Amino acid sequence: MATDEQTLSETARIARAALANVAPEPGVAKPDPIMTAEGVRRSFGGITAVDVERVEIQRGSITALIGPNGAGKTTFFNLMTAFDTPDTGKWWFDGKDLEGVQAHKTADMGMVRTFQLTKSLTKMSVIENMKLGATGQKGEKWWNGLLPFTWLAQEREIEARADALLARFKLDHMRNEYAGTLSGGQRKLLEMSRALMTNPKLVMLDEPMAGVNPALKQSLNQHIKGLRDEGMTVLFVEHDMDMVHDISDWVIVMAEGMIIAEGTPDQISSNPAVIDAYLGAHQGKSLLEDL
Amino acid sequence: MNWSNILTATLSAFFGVNAMYFALSAIGLNVQFGYAGLLNFGQAGFMACGAYAVGMTAHYYGISFWWGVPIAVVYAVIFGLIMGVPTLRLRADYLAIVTIALAECVRLIVRSVTFKKYFGGSDGINQFANSFVSKTPFNPSSKYSLYPFADSVNAVGSVLLLVSFAVCSVLLGHMLAQKWAKEERQGFQTKWIISAVAVMAFLMIASKQTEYDGLSFKSLVVGWILAAVIGGFIYMLMRSPWGRVIKGIREDEDAVRSLGKNVYSYKMQALILGGVIATFSGIMFSVSRGSVQPDNYSRDVTFYVLTALVLGGLAKVSGSIVGPMLFWAILSFVDAFLNELAKSWGGHVDIFGIPLITESSHIGVYVQVVIGLMLVFLMVFRPQGLFGNKKEMALDGH
Ligand SMILES: Nc1ncnc2c1ncn2[C@@H]1O[C@H](COP(=O)(O)OP(=O)(O)O)[C@@H](O)[C@H]1O
Ligand SMILES: [Mg+2]
């Protein structure tokens, strides 16, 4: 832990200090929440996929959302980003009520999400995928489409930004290839960097590490920490506890649709309720034992 | 066997009125289906909007049918909204069902006895385009050719035809050279020049065989110019950020939505834009005949246009123009060939004692068979169409 403290970046130290005095209880209030959900429920037929009494996401932090398969993490993401509508409940982003706000509007407000099953636009090139991510494009109005002088300057700016991101995520050598030719891990990277093209305040990543090879995982870790250093808030779903412990400032645990625990990574690793929920689902092998 | 007749029929059809109005319709369908992935099976309905708008304006209001053009656009927009509002938020197949039903509704309404006094029932509206017909610089009763040096073409016409042939050669030559050169760019210029010269030679030789009456000829000139201009616009639009969003929606609309685009609005824009283009197809077709008949806008037309588009290749402007040309050339070839065959065999064709053709009206049936076979072979051997990109086809969706 000692080395860890030394390698922490400035923003990480601020984020952790802000959360140091927050009680490790489900639904606890945060000093500066960017997203809040209250009484959000969603059921499919007989099963209740999500039943969250209250949860807050601290601004400027990296928050991990963990829980066994079927816990409702993806459904929770869908509800927050308006890809699905809850049966009841209210939720806010950056102080704004999101009830009835359409999915594409949430992205405009600064909330972007990726998908558990990667959604690369396979028949478009990598760079076109990236450029699609930029918001507020003048050329996306059909009447401007025929008047290149209205959008060419902006297009060049967007392209430069896209190229910089591709270089950062080491995808620049694939720039002009079809996205469909990328490996699974590269597609995850592309989807994440495409999401960043929207200039988000909150980045919600659904299992960004799934299918990514170990070498790439390490650098993906660094990239996610980098997002916080640039002032973004990150909420991500992950199964690998080592990685959760490595990069997150706060951990939220879901099981059977409910938030069953919250706390710093250290607090969560020693929480009996979590060990129960996890071990119940993972048949004995402790994911937390080496912590 | 009179091969010269067959050749004239085939090549006239290649540049003919049918190819022209199909091309306009296919450009529109390409925006909807090829680029945006919207399964519109009601293209004939949009075409009927155009045809009836010009027909009724001239017939009932006694004003020039040109006033019908803006009215046609309004009809197409309204028709697109009626199609899109209830379906574009739902899964793709709902749109397919609703579009096919709505296009049939339009046809059944305009041909119904109840509304005969507005739409002319199954007879339609006739001889409304006199202002177009009479103003023609071409004599309706003489024959015209697209060959730049034909006797029927004057000096201005020669220059215009030569220029448009040259432009086509350069553009198509560029595309063919790209196919030919594949990845490697070496010697691309040479390949481009060779391809362009080949296309030019084809156009010169082929156009020599064409023969049209005065009214068709005028419609052709107007229609092909329209197709070229609209095709150029679509080419530019699809290279703009607007086109990028549209192509993104075809692949995964949720991904596009997550990036802050109003997918519903874009789908509506694509549906209506494609419909407005199809409306010009209906206008040109009805004007070229000076009449509107409901049964020219049946489901068959929609599916033939779709076949012609797939033949050319989806999501390619060139495919949506050349596809209909080849489609009609092939059909006319089969038709003319069977006609000549029947003629030379004394009016009927029998093979192994089975009477295949005993009357000339039977030939139409075989033409239909050819359309079916054409689609089957296309799907098996070249699903991407003539101009489509094989590499793109091979990429999986996930
Ligand atoms: N569209 C849906 N229809 C029916 N059941 C669903 C649907 N989406 C999710 N579920 C169910 O909701 C529960 C939570 O799923 P999910 O949110 O995908 O979990 P997680 O992402 O945590 O693995 C599961 O039991 C799943 O089967
Ligand atoms: Mg999930």
Side-chain angles (χ1 to χ4, degrees), chain A residues 83 102-104 107-108 111-113 115 119-124 128-129 131-135 137 139-142 145-146 148 151 155 178 180-181 187 194-195 198, chain B residues 89 232-234 236-237 239-245 247-248 250-263 266 269 389 391-398:
Chain A
F83 277 81
Q102 288 171 303
H104 69 270
D108 277 345
M111 196 178 175
V112 76
R113 57 88 55 94
F115 297 85
K119 292 189 182 296
S120 320
L121 307 168
T122 53
K123 290 174 190 175
M124 289 164 74
E128 288 289 296
N129 262 271
K131 287 196 279 188
L132 184 65
T135 47
Q137 296 190 43
E140 286 182 354
K141 307 261 187 284
W142 63 267
L146 289 178
W151 50 264
E155 179 84 353
Y178 284 116
T181 63
R187 289 188 198 193
R194 189 178 65 195
T198 64
Chain B
R89 280 184 213 280
F233 279 164
I234 297 304
M236 277 172 73
L237 256 183
R239 263 149 202 78
S240 77
W242 186 85
R244 188 157 62 215
V245 177
K247 288 184 254 178
R250 174 189 64 194
E251 299 210 29
D252 195 319
E253 57 175 87
D254 276 346
V256 176
R257 193 174 282 124
S258 78
L259 298 170
K261 323 290 178 201
N262 187 347
V263 168
Y266 280 102
Q269 291 170 33
N389 187 331
K391 221 165 80 189
E392 224 169 75
M393 280 295 286
L395 295 169
D396 64 330
H398 294 288

Side-chain angles (χ1 to χ4, degrees), chain A residues 124-197:
Chain A
M124 289 164 74
S125 69
V126 168
I127 185 74
E128 288 289 296
N129 262 271
M130 291 294 288
K131 287 196 279 188
L132 184 65
T135 47
Q137 296 190 43
K138 295 194 191 85
E140 286 182 354
K141 307 261 187 284
W142 63 267
W143 56 88
N144 283 341
L146 289 178
L147 308 170
F149 63 89
T150 58
W151 50 264
L152 268 181
Q154 192 189 25
E155 179 84 353
R156 263 182 234 115
E157 248 168 64
I158 289 168
E159 195 163 322
R161 203 148 60 78
D163 276 324
L165 271 172
L166 285 179
R168 183 165 136 200
F169 286 87
K170 306 217 163 46
L171 286 172
D172 41 348
H173 62 292
M174 301 298 282
R175 185 184 192 277
N176 298 318
E177 302 296 322
Y178 284 116
T181 63
L182 300 182
S183 71
Q186 285 174 322
R187 289 188 198 193
K188 285 266 173 203
L189 279 177
L190 173 61
E191 200 183 346
M192 185 165 142
S193 36
R194 189 178 65 195
L196 295 180
M197 286 296 292

Side-chain angles (χ1 to χ4, degrees), chain A residues 6-25:
Chain A
Q6 283 156 15
T7 55
L8 278 183
S9 68
E10 181 65 24
T11 49
R13 240 177 272 134
I14 294 171
R16 294 200 180 179
L19 290 163
N21 298 321
V22 176
E25 308 164 341

Side-chain angles (χ1 to χ4, degrees), chain A residues 42 44 47-50 67-76 78 84 116 206-207 237 239 254:
Chain A
R42 174 71 164 115
F44 296 104
I47 52 161
T48 304
V50 166
N69 267 327
K73 305 178 296 291
T74 297
T75 307
F76 181 70
N78 288 344
D84 193 2
Q116 183 171 355
D206 199 349
E207 305 206 11
V237 173
H239 285 299
M254 267 184 103

